[in-house]
């Protein structure tokens, strides 16, 4: 009898434990109103923080600041090209430690939206695709193509299994409540036609079949198949409705600003307008908002895409590139989140009743017995404030704003009324001296040595470099007989080059003849310049430069860069000489890259030359090395590169990224929060370089003798490079 009693008690305990686990680890679900976690519907605020765009030492602080700012969820892409640099070889270490990043989000008590993609766009090199994928036989990207689907499914399964192994899905007690498959596919879907539609169905079925226990989403995909939720990206999403009435209205990218490209302006999005956009979305029935970006961070190394995207990915986000809070954006959004959370029950338990208050003024009223009453009073007028009467009470509504009334009576927040002063950021010099400068010069004369490849005609750059370097040398020879008169009388000798970008430096007999670059708007460009040749053999060397691979659009397998031709000499006796189809030698990268000069222990010090920097100011293709001690304190640090031209920089072997001091081309005449925000509004930085300061993570530094290595393509004054610290007005 006692044994049976014990057995019964044991069985009852197991049953209770099982039911408890079901409650604790229940699947995330949704209805037309919202995502439900553990059976409870929620209005959720999320922010994008991309783990490789900061350092592991920064992650915890960034996540905590996001939580303090009123966020519930951290959103991140998964970066395929970082994690699988070659087929079947994976890297999840250091800045790529996705699992550790998600565990830190869980530790902070927040949820995760994991955007696996695996295409991400994100202004990231090649849209997040590994370049080796381009060379899989028979591949066609992002369509109903078996080689592509096989590779995509394999990587997606790899990531999902990693998450399952670590119990990171909410259905396992982890923080991941949503996952995304594909990314902004709608424009491509139309181009691919029936094959695009078939691919969308396949991707949805593949993802859902992985049984994560949490919903999948597709952003900017109007025909996302059930049960996948289609979502909105943009500056505004109040116009958006999901493709089925039983799906919630989710905004996966509320753009907090915009990215910068070298030569273009930097952007600010006024927080009054961003808050207005979020309130508009919520009053129309939205229940999930993700800020893209909440912390933008830095495109370290050669990860920036575009082409021409800057190393800084600051994005005018609430937390700036360096991890500092940006005011008033941070506090104003925090107050917005508080106000909307006060309305949560009413918002989730009723549909809005719209009351017309004037020509441009409306009230969205949410009222139910179980959820109380909440109201959003809006004024869409671009010119005038308004006085309205609602529930027999008078309210003043600033233009282009929404007031939030959690009890349908008292205003707790207005989107246009900002109560926090703007951050006053300073880049302050440190007392750090950069010393012991040495130089190393690229030997242009050796670019067609025995290690190069020679073929007839011009080859596409990416096919040769496989993105192992930004640089590819194209070299050919032109023989001028001593009896030949050139150039023709009265006609200069001119070299013209047509290229697919992104930049070139042209050397004639080892001397720089000129440079040319494309732009974000005009990537293909031509080089035309008068040159000097001498009787006999003349060497023409073209250093072709990539400035980030494309990250958007269809048919990644067809993307090309480099010197496409024709290459023509004009002004010879015969009129012109087409060099396109003669023999060209090719050499990938630079000698300094082959010698790993970015590393502090690369080659013996006697291969570097000590001397005065004054004589080297405008010498192209020069490497510089020096040492410095770390500044005291814990303020964020940056390199001021305004005295340099264009190139790359390393500290203690870690790549800070590409630098380029090209001046801003933009209209910085003014900025108003009123009216729809577009990239044409609110430019700043005119008159200076698009990017002057380059983030130096503190965790990359040692107390003393830190190595600084700079590769300069064009020419600059390395003695003007300095280390500065970033302070805000509240810093001591």
């Amino acid at each position: 009898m006692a044994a049976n009693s014990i057995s019964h008690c044991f069985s009852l305990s197991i049953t209770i434990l099982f039911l408890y686990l079901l409650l604790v680890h229940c699947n995330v679900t949704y209805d037309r109103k919202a995502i439900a976690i553990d059976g409870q519907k929620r209005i959720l605020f999320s922010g994008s923080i991309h783990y490789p765009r900061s350092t592991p030492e920064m992650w915890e602080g960034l996540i905590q600041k996001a939580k303090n700012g009123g966020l519930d969820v951290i959103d991140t892409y998964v970066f395929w090209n970082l994690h699988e640099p070659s087929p079947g070889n994976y890297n999840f270490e250091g800045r790529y430690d996705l699992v550790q990043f998600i565990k830190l989000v869980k530790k902070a008590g927040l949820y995760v939206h994991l955007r696996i993609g695996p295409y991400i766009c994100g202004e990231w090199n090649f849209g997040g695709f590994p370049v080796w994928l381009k060379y899989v036989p028979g591949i066609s990207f992002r369509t109903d193509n078996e080689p592509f689907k096989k590779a995509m499914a394999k990587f997606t399964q790899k990531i999902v299994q990693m998450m399952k192994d670590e119990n990171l899905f909410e259905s396992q007690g982890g923080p991941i409540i949503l996952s995304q498959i594909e990314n902004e596919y709608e424009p491509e879907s139309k181009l691919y036609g029936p094959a695009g539609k078939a691919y969308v169905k396949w991707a949805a079925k593949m993802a859902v079949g992985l049984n994560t226990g949490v919903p999948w989403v597709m952003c900017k995909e109007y025909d996302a198949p059930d049960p996948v939720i289609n979502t909105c990206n943009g500056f505004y999403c109040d116009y958006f409705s999901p493709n089925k009435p039983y799906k919630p209205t989710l905004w996966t990218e509320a753009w907090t600003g915009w990215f910068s490209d070298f030569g273009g302006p930097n952007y600010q999005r006024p927080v009054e307008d961003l808050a207005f956009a979020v309130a508009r979305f919520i009053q129309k029935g939205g229940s999930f908002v993700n800020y893209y970006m909440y912390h933008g961070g830095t495109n370290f190394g050669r990860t920036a895409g575009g082409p021409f995207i800057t190393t800084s990915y600051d994005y005018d986000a609430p937390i700036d590139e360096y991890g500092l809070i940006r005011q008033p954006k941070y506090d104003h959004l925090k107050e917005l989140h508080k106000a909307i959370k006060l309305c949560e029950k009413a918002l989730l338990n009723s549909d809005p009743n719209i009351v017309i208050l004037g020509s441009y003024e409306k009230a969205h009223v949410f009222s139910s017995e179980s959820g109380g009453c909440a109201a959003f009073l809006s004024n869409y007028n671009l010119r005038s404030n308004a006085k309205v009467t609602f529930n027999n009470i008078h309210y003043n509504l600033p233009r282009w704003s929404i007031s939030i009334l959690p009890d349908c009576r008292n205003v707790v927040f207005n989107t246009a009324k900002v109560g926090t002063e703007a951050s006053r950021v300073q880049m302050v010099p440190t007392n750090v001296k950069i010393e012991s400068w040495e130089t190393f010069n690229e030997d242009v004369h050796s670019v067609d040595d025995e290690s190069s490849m020679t073929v007839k005609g011009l080859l596409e750059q990416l096919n040769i470099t496989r993105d192992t370097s930004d640089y590819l040398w194209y070299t050919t020879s032109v023989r001028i007989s001593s009896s030949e008169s050139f150039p023709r009388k009265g006609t200069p000798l001119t070299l013209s080059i047509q290229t697919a970008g992104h930049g070139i430096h042209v050397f004639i007999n080892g001397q720089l003849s000129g440079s040319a670059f494309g732009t974000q708007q005009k990537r293909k460009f031509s080089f035309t310049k008068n040159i000097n040749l001498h009787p006999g053999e003349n060497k023409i060397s073209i250093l072709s430069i990539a400035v980030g691979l494309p990250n958007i659009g269809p048919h990644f397998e067809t993307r090309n860069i480099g010197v496409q031709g024709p290459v023509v000499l004009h002004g010879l006796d015969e009129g012109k000489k087409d060099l396109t189809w003669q023999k060209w030698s090719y050499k990938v990268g630079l000698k300094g890259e082959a010698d790993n000069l970015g590393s502090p222990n690369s080659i013996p010090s006697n291969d570097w030359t000590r001397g005065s920097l004054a004589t080297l100011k405008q010498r192209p293709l020069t490497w510089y090395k020096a040492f410095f001690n770390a500044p005291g304190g814990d303020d964020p640090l940056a390199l001021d590169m305004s005295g340099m031209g264009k190139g790359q920089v390393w500290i203690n072997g870690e790549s800070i990224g590409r630098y380029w001091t090209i001046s801003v081309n933009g209209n910085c005449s003014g900025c108003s929060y009123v009216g729809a925000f577009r990239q044409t509004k609110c430019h700043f930085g005119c008159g200076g370089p698009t990017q002057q300061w380059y983030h130096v993570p503190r965790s990359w530094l040692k107390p003393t003798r830190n190595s600084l290595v700079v590769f300069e393509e064009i020419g600059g004054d390395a003695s003007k490079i300095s280390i500065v610290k970033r302070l805000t007005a509240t810093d001591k």
Side-chain angles (χ1 to χ4, degrees):
M1 192 71 176
N4 288 338
S5 177
I6 292 171
S7 176
H8 175 74
C9 289
F10 179 78
S11 298
L12 184 60
S13 298
I14 291 295
T15 303
I16 292 170
L17 178 61
F18 177 73
L19 291 172
Y20 173 78
L21 290 174
L22 279 179
L23 288 171
V24 173
H25 303 306
C26 66
N27 291 354
V28 181
T29 59
Y30 62 81
D31 64 12
R32 69 182 184 90
K33 276 291 188 181
I35 298 291
I37 305 170
D38 296 342
Q40 181 181 352
K41 287 186 288 187
R42 301 275 301 277
I43 288 179
L44 297 169
F45 291 103
S46 172
S48 289
I49 299 175
H50 295 159
Y51 52 99
R53 283 176 158 145
S54 56
T55 62
E57 291 77 10
M58 294 173 67
W59 290 345
E60 197 161 9
L62 294 172
I63 293 164
Q64 188 60 47
K65 286 175 182 176
K67 181 178 182 179
N68 294 345
L71 298 193
D72 309 287
V73 183
I74 300 297
D75 165 295
T76 185
Y77 283 132
V78 178
F79 297 78
W80 188 358
N81 57 357
L82 297 184
H83 295 309
E84 193 177 6
S86 60
N89 295 311
Y90 297 99
N91 183 359
F92 291 92
E93 302 296 323
R95 291 203 327 276
Y96 310 160
D97 193 344
L98 172 61
V99 166
Q100 178 61 20
F101 179 76
I102 293 175
K103 286 182 176 180
L104 288 174
V105 176
K106 180 182 180 181
K107 179 182 175 184
L110 299 179
Y111 298 114
V112 171
H113 178 202
L114 191 65
R115 303 176 73 184
I116 298 174
Y119 164 71
I120 64 169
C121 181
E123 291 70 60
W124 192 259
N125 196 53
F126 217 48
F129 289 127
V131 170
W132 57 259
L133 198 64
K134 185 176 188 285
Y135 304 100
V136 172
I139 201 163
S140 183
F141 282 55
R142 303 179 73 198
T143 188
D144 192 19
N145 170 268
E146 291 305 320
F148 179 76
K149 291 192 297 184
K150 181 179 179 181
M152 175 178 165
K154 181 182 176 185
F155 181 74
T156 304
Q157 290 161 3
K158 169 78 174 178
I159 297 301
V160 167
Q161 192 58 52
M162 283 184 65
M163 300 301 106
K164 286 184 176 181
D165 290 345
E166 298 288 342
N167 296 316
L168 293 177
F169 287 105
E170 205 278 340
S171 53
Q172 303 172 291
I176 302 172
I177 59 168
L178 290 172
S179 291
Q180 180 177 298
I181 195 70
E182 250 299 336
N183 188 59
E184 298 185 331
Y185 186 66
E186 196 168 300
E188 278 65 46
S189 179
K190 294 173 181 176
L191 289 172
Y192 286 120
K197 290 183 178 296
Y199 167 67
V200 166
K201 291 179 180 177
W202 169 84
K205 184 178 180 181
M206 180 270 290
V208 173
L210 297 175
N211 298 316
T212 62
V214 305
W216 289 85
V217 305
M218 285 183 169
C219 64
K220 293 183 74 171
E221 183 53 52
Y222 68 96
D223 62 350
D226 285 356
V228 176
I229 307 166
N230 65 309
T231 69
C232 184
N233 292 356
F235 290 117
Y236 306 92
C237 279
D238 52 291
Y239 65 87
F240 171 78
S241 296
N243 60 19
K244 294 292 173 60
Y246 43 80
K247 295 180 182 179
T249 304
L250 312 183
W251 190 358
T252 38
E253 291 187 14
W255 297 333
T256 58
W258 201 242
F259 60 88
S260 300
D261 57 271
F262 287 116
N266 291 294
Y267 300 88
Q268 290 175 322
R269 185 179 187 186
V271 71
E272 299 95 324
D273 176 66
L274 179 57
F276 183 52
V278 172
R280 287 168 67 174
F281 179 72
I282 296 294
Q283 76 178 8
K284 291 287 291 290
S287 58
F288 179 99
V289 177
N290 176 67
Y291 296 104
Y292 189 99
M293 299 292 295
Y294 200 76
H295 164 73
T298 307
N299 294 316
F300 296 114
R302 297 188 304 111
T303 58
F308 304 108
I309 302 299
T310 55
T311 296
S312 172
Y313 198 65
D314 181 84
Y315 225 91
D316 196 38
I319 304 174
D320 74 12
E321 176 184 3
Y322 298 82
L324 299 176
I325 287 171
R326 172 175 278 118
Q327 299 290 19
K329 189 162 277 187
Y330 180 89
D331 273 357
H332 196 56
L333 294 178
K334 179 179 181 178
E335 294 305 313
L336 170 67
H337 305 152
K338 286 181 181 178
I340 291 174
K341 292 287 189 175
L342 291 173
C343 306
E344 187 173 42
K345 284 187 178 181
L347 292 169
L348 295 177
N349 287 283
S350 59
D351 295 321
N353 176 36
I354 301 173
V355 179
I356 304 300
L357 303 176
S359 300
Y360 298 93
E361 300 83 34
K362 294 179 180 178
H364 286 70
V365 185
F366 297 81
S367 181
S368 72
E369 292 183 5
S370 59
C373 184
F376 289 61
L377 309 185
S378 58
N379 177 10
Y380 285 78
N381 197 314
L382 301 180
R383 296 179 179 85
S384 302
N385 300 339
K387 292 184 178 180
V388 301
T389 301
F390 172 70
N391 282 352
N392 298 317
I393 302 175
H394 300 295
Y395 297 91
N396 294 316
L397 299 179
R399 58 183 181 150
W400 199 253
S401 79
I402 294 176
S403 288
I404 299 176
L405 293 65
D407 58 359
C408 286
R409 294 184 61 84
N410 297 294
V411 176
V412 299
F413 183 85
N414 178 271
T415 59
K417 294 181 178 179
V418 178
T420 304
E421 290 189 12
S423 301
R424 292 186 295 278
V425 176
Q426 296 175 291
M427 304 302 282
V428 179
T430 64
N431 58 1
V432 169
K433 292 183 178 180
I434 303 176
E435 300 176 313
S436 305
W437 283 103
E438 299 175 290
T439 63
F440 179 92
N441 299 311
E442 286 289 321
D443 184 4
V444 178
H445 296 282
S446 68
V447 297
D448 59 348
D449 62 17
E450 66 279 358
S451 65
S452 63
M453 172 183 69
T454 302
V455 297
K456 187 177 181 181
L458 295 166
L459 300 179
E460 194 274 329
Q461 181 170 340
L462 196 54
N463 281 340
I464 308 301
T465 66
R466 302 294 173 100
D467 198 37
T468 57
S469 171
D470 279 356
Y471 305 102
L472 178 65
W473 286 101
Y474 294 70
T475 302
T476 194
S477 295
V478 177
R479 174 169 287 279
I480 304 295
S481 67
S482 57
S483 60
E484 190 173 8
S485 66
F486 76 96
R488 286 184 301 169
K489 190 173 182 180
T491 304
L493 192 61
T494 303
L495 178 67
S496 68
I497 302 169
Q498 299 295 321
T499 174
H502 307 132
I504 57 172
H505 301 306
V506 180
F507 294 82
I508 306 297
N509 296 318
Q511 298 299 310
L512 180 64
S513 177
S515 303
F517 294 93
T519 65
Q520 175 76 241
Q521 293 72 33
K522 190 177 180 181
R523 300 173 187 187
K524 295 184 178 182
F525 63 95
S526 60
F527 170 95
T528 303
K529 189 167 183 177
N530 297 344
I531 62 171
N532 294 314
L533 299 182
H534 55 68
E537 201 77 18
N538 293 268
K539 183 190 291 185
I540 298 175
S541 296
I542 306 169
L543 181 59
S544 180
I545 309 149
V547 192
L549 299 181
N551 56 268
I552 196 168
H555 293 296
F556 275 69
E557 70 277 4
T558 66
R559 302 305 176 86
N560 54 54
I561 55 173
V563 179
Q564 302 291 286
V567 178
V568 180
L569 270 174
H570 302 270
L572 295 170
D573 272 350
E574 66 265 34
K576 69 177 183 178
K577 183 178 180 66
D578 192 337
L579 309 180
T580 307
W581 288 101
Q582 56 179 49
K583 286 186 177 180
W584 289 83
S585 295
Y586 296 88
K587 189 171 185 179
V588 175
L590 308 167
K591 187 177 190 304
E593 288 180 310
D595 290 341
N596 195 24
L597 294 193
S599 170
N601 303 309
S602 53
I603 58 175
S605 58
N606 60 2
D607 286 343
W608 292 86
T609 302
R610 289 196 176 188
S612 171
L613 295 180
T615 60
L616 303 173
K617 284 184 181 179
Q618 298 306 320
R619 188 156 71 182
L621 307 191
T622 301
W623 295 77
Y624 298 87
K625 182 171 74 169
F627 295 91
F628 65 93
N629 295 335
D634 57 1
D635 300 306
L637 302 175
L639 284 176
D640 185 341
M641 300 296 291
S642 55
M644 303 300 284
K646 179 184 180 298
Q648 298 181 43
V649 58
W650 294 260
I651 287 183
N652 291 331
E654 298 280 1
S655 176
I656 296 293
R658 301 184 184 99
Y659 70 87
W660 194 2
T661 55
I662 185 171
S663 293
V664 166
N665 177 24
N667 178 10
C668 299
S669 58
C671 178
S672 170
Y673 81 86
V674 176
F677 183 82
R678 294 292 181 265
Q679 297 95 300
T680 53
K681 290 183 67 174
C682 299
H683 296 176
F684 72 97
C686 298
T690 303
Q691 185 173 353
Q692 177 177 346
W693 298 289
Y694 293 79
H695 181 207
V696 178
R698 281 271 184 181
S699 59
W700 290 3
L701 299 182
K702 304 176 295 183
T704 60
R705 198 166 170 76
N706 296 282
S707 72
L708 166 65
V709 176
V710 176
F711 172 65
E712 171 58 50
E713 295 176 16
I714 303 168
D717 187 351
S719 67
K720 292 183 177 179
I721 297 174
S722 64
I723 297 171
V724 299
K725 56 184 177 181
R726 186 174 178 90
L727 304 178
T728 65
T730 57
D731 290 315
K732 302 294 184 184

